[in-house]
């Protein structure tokens, strides 16, 4: 009987010690968690690494500034990308995804389109941010390239973080109010300049996070969350050139292309793949110019990738 009582007491003690936290940075299986006014260096139990920046978690302290993540609260949303072999969590509980592109260097439509598909499939609102609008020579062509997304209803916001900082801040702050937002983009698009404008102490915070996660003072290879006033937060992710979506099935993919929506269910065959079938309403819309060719090419590529999944 004494053994059972002691075990029950230990269990009660553990549950009393469980406290909530918000994951604000991740590097490998190491996480920085905001717990009240404190920042704790946390790990997961075993080899699990299914925690994302933005996750609300329950932790047990193992020392004054360290803890173990015991559980993850139910997520509102989860954004991630995956290649043929593994998944990479981007962020949890985000309301919106801002894709930063620029006049120079040139961005890739493939990455933009894939990010939009990821946002649609996760139920996250997507916006495009066109930075460096002061480079006027490249502006008309860049605007023209973004029209394909604007016509689909994705907002495009034009800013110049370095040339017009105050105007850029004035554009961003109302968009961020009360929401959790993740910024993604290829390297060189000016994402860091935008973050530094919105969060003046971002550099200091990043150095502190780097030190806490033992990743070196100058690293930019981890995702981190900055809390703002009024429940708003902004998540900065490392620049990347590829955005795999191997996790999406064919059915999920067709529903993640909002330009396909008016034509779904109108094909001759109920199980149409929208690739080369006769009587396909989606293909007819492509031929009529109602769906952009590059969008359908991406869909075909993603369907192919989805069929190659090994995990």
């Amino acid at each position: 009987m004494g053994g059972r009582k002691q075990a029950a007491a230990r269990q009660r003690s553990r549950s009393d010690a469980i406290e909530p936290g918000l994951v604000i940075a991740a590097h490998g299986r190491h996480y920085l968690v905001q717990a009240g006014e404190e920042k704790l260096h946390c790990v997961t139990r075993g080899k699990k690494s299914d925690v994302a920046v933005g996750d609300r978690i329950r932790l047990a302290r193992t020392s004054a500034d360290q803890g173990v993540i015991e559980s993850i609260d139910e997520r509102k949303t989860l954004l991630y990308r995956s290649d043929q072999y593994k998944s990479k969590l981007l962020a949890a509980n985000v309301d919106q995804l801002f894709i930063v592109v620029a006049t120079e260097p040139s961005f890739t439509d493939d990455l933009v389109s894939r990010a939009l598909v990821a946002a649609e499939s996760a139920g996250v609102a997507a916006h495009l941010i066109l930075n460096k609008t002061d480079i006027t020579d490249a502006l008309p062509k860049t605007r023209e390239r973004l029209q394909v997304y604007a016509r689909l209803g994705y907002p495009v916001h034009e800013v110049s973080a370095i040339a017009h900082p105050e105007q850029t801040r004035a554009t961003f702050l109302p968009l961020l109010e009360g929401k959790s937002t993740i910024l993604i983009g290829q390297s060189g698009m000016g994402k860091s300049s935008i973050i530094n404008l919105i969060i003046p102490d971002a550099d200091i915070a990043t150095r502190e996070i780097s030190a806490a996660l033992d990743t070196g003072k100058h690293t930019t290879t981890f995702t981190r969350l900055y809390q703002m006033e009024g429940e708003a937060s902004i998540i900065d992710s490392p620049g990347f050139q590829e955005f795999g979506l191997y996790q999406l099935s064919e059915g999920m993919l067709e529903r993640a292309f909002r330009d396909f929506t008016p034509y779904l269910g109108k094909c001759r065959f109920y199980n149409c793949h929208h690739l080369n079938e006769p009587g396909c309403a989606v293909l007819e819309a492509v031929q009529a110019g109602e769906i952009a060719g590059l969008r359908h090419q991406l869909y075909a590529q993603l369907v192919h990738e989805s069929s190659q999944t090994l995990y």
Side-chain angles (χ1 to χ4, degrees):
M1 284 293 288
R4 278 205 297 272
K5 283 182 179 176
Q6 286 174 343
R10 281 196 300 271
Q11 186 63 40
R12 277 198 303 275
S13 171
R14 275 201 296 271
S15 61
D16 289 345
I18 297 294
E19 56 186 291
L22 172 68
V23 179
I24 61 171
H27 183 77
R29 288 198 290 268
H30 297 264
Y31 304 93
L32 197 64
V33 174
Q34 189 77 44
E37 297 297 311
E38 299 173 87
K39 291 181 176 64
L40 307 179
H41 183 177
C42 293
V43 295
T44 53
R45 291 206 179 276
K47 293 188 176 180
K48 288 195 303 182
S49 58
D50 55 351
V51 181
V53 170
D55 266 328
R56 298 199 171 272
I57 55 97
R58 306 286 153 171
L59 65 93
R61 292 195 191 223
T62 53
S63 71
D65 60 353
Q66 295 183 326
V68 175
I69 296 172
E70 297 284 2
S71 63
I72 304 169
D73 292 357
E74 186 178 348
R75 290 162 168 153
K76 182 170 60 174
T77 58
L78 178 63
L79 267 175
Y80 65 105
R81 57 194 179 104
S82 58
D83 61 21
Q84 203 167 346
Y85 306 103
K86 63 179 181 179
S87 294
K88 172 79 172 173
L89 301 180
L90 289 176
N93 301 315
V94 295
D95 300 297
Q96 51 190 7
L97 167 72
F98 285 6
I99 306 164
V100 182
V101 298
T103 47
E104 287 181 6
S106 182
F107 61 91
T108 70
D109 284 299
D110 182 72
L111 187 136
V112 171
S113 292
R114 285 167 179 263
L116 292 174
V117 170
E120 288 286 340
S121 66
V124 171
H127 296 240
L128 286 110
I129 309 297
L130 172 55
N131 191 25
K132 307 186 189 180
T133 53
D134 53 301
I135 304 175
T136 52
D137 289 352
L139 191 54
K141 186 180 177 183
T142 309
R143 281 175 171 159
E144 188 181 326
R145 288 179 64 194
L146 293 176
Q147 270 304 302
V148 66
Y149 311 112
R151 281 194 291 269
L152 294 174
Y154 294 108
V156 178
H157 309 278
E158 296 191 0
V159 298
S160 185
I162 291 176
H164 305 294
E166 291 307 315
Q167 188 180 322
T168 299
R169 270 180 61 83
T171 299
F172 265 94
L173 291 179
L175 298 173
L176 300 172
E177 198 171 327
K179 292 184 171 14
S180 175
T181 306
I182 180 170
L183 263 67
I184 70 162
Q186 295 163 253
S187 300
M189 298 292 145
K191 191 162 54 69
S192 297
S193 300
I194 292 170
I195 291 283
N196 287 329
L197 264 182
I198 297 165
I199 312 288
D201 295 329
D203 281 342
I204 297 167
T206 297
R207 285 196 292 275
E208 288 175 353
I209 292 169
S210 291
L213 292 178
D214 296 323
T215 55
K217 297 264 188 249
H218 305 293
T219 185
T220 56
T221 58
F222 60 88
T223 302
R224 61 272 205 197
L225 180 151
Y226 304 103
Q227 290 174 294
M228 301 169 65
E229 291 180 5
E231 298 298 306
S233 61
I234 190 162
I235 298 173
D236 185 20
S237 64
F240 46 80
Q241 308 300 323
E242 295 180 356
F243 202 118
L245 295 170
Y246 283 71
Q247 76 272 17
L248 300 181
S249 67
E250 189 175 318
M252 294 163 76
L253 283 169
E254 68 174 16
R255 292 190 296 275
F257 280 76
R258 58 168 59 173
D259 33 348
F260 286 19
T261 304
Y263 310 102
L264 297 180
K266 296 180 180 177
C267 301
R268 184 186 303 173
F269 302 108
Y270 78 92
N271 60 346
C272 185
H273 300 291
H274 319 303
L275 296 174
N276 47 31
E277 296 84 353
C280 172
V282 170
L283 288 175
E284 288 169 3
V286 174
Q287 288 160 2
E290 292 160 358
I291 294 175
L294 69 86
R295 292 275 293 172
H296 184 263
Q297 288 163 23
L298 174 67
Y299 168 78
Q301 176 62 29
L302 293 176
V303 168
H304 172 72
E305 289 176 8
S306 177
S307 71
Q308 308 298 307
T309 306
L310 295 182
Y311 66 90

